[in-house]
């Protein structure tokens, strides 16, 4: 599924028109960061598949959470004011981002990824 920044903005505006201006700005920043990281990792994955030495029957393991979602969470943590990632993930991501990322994993599983 191709994620388009403009389509995400339209969907956001239709569903979240009651949010405060600061919440809207934060959500739009999150969408922009996700779209940029998603574009990067799609190109990176194509590039890396040519460099991997694997058997034809070997399969690359996949997770529920995409690399783009993982990197977006990490980038947003660096932009937030939280000191520890555990506190940020448990108190912010799991509570408020569940709707945006339906395949979120627990903190322990996220750290294992």
């Amino acid at each position: 599924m191709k994620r388009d920044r403009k389509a995400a903005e339209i969907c956001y505006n239709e569903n979240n028109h009651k949010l405060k201006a600061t919440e809207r700005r934060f959500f739009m920043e999150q969408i922009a960061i996700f779209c940029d990281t998603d574009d990067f990792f799609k190109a990176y994955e194509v590039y890396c598949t040519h460099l991997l030495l694997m058997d034809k029957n070997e399969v690359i393991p996949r997770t529920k959470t995409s690399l783009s979602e993982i990197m977006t969470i990490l980038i947003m943590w660096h932009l937030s004011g939280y000191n520890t990632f555990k506190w940020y993930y448990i108190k912010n991501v799991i509570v408020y981002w569940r709707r945006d990322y339906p395949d979120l994993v627990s903190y322990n599983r996220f750290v294992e990824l």
Side-chain angles (χ1 to χ4, degrees):
M1 177 173 132
K2 183 177 180 182
R3 293 179 177 97
D4 184 32
R5 184 179 295 182
K6 191 66 176 173
E9 290 173 4
I10 292 169
C11 178
Y12 165 76
N13 289 333
E14 290 174 356
N15 295 329
N16 300 309
H17 60 278
K18 295 179 182 178
L19 294 178
K20 297 177 185 175
T22 55
E23 292 172 335
R24 269 189 244 129
R25 187 170 51 246
F26 173 78
F27 190 75
M28 295 308 295
E29 183 178 331
Q30 180 183 355
I31 290 172
I33 290 172
F34 177 79
C35 290
D36 291 341
T37 56
D38 192 46
D39 293 342
F40 171 78
F41 277 109
K42 284 180 183 176
Y44 183 73
E45 187 175 22
V46 170
Y47 172 74
C48 284
T49 53
H50 297 294
L51 300 177
L52 294 176
L53 299 174
M54 297 187 322
D55 295 333
K56 293 185 179 184
N57 297 333
E58 196 172 349
V59 178
I60 299 172
R62 299 283 179 191
T63 62
K64 283 184 175 182
T65 309
S66 70
L67 285 175
S68 306
E69 292 172 342
I70 293 170
M71 285 307 297
T72 301
I73 291 169
L74 290 173
I75 292 169
M76 295 303 288
W77 169 59
H78 283 287
L79 295 175
S80 73
Y82 286 88
N83 291 330
T84 62
F85 180 73
K86 182 176 184 177
W87 190 259
Y88 173 74
Y89 193 82
I90 292 172
K91 298 293 182 182
N92 192 19
V93 175
I94 290 180
V95 175
Y96 298 110
W97 293 19
R98 177 70 62 187
R99 184 189 56 154
D100 302 327
Y101 299 100
D103 293 328
L104 273 179
V105 294
S106 68
Y107 170 75
N108 292 332
R109 178 66 181 130
F110 188 87
V111 173
E112 290 175 2
L113 297 175

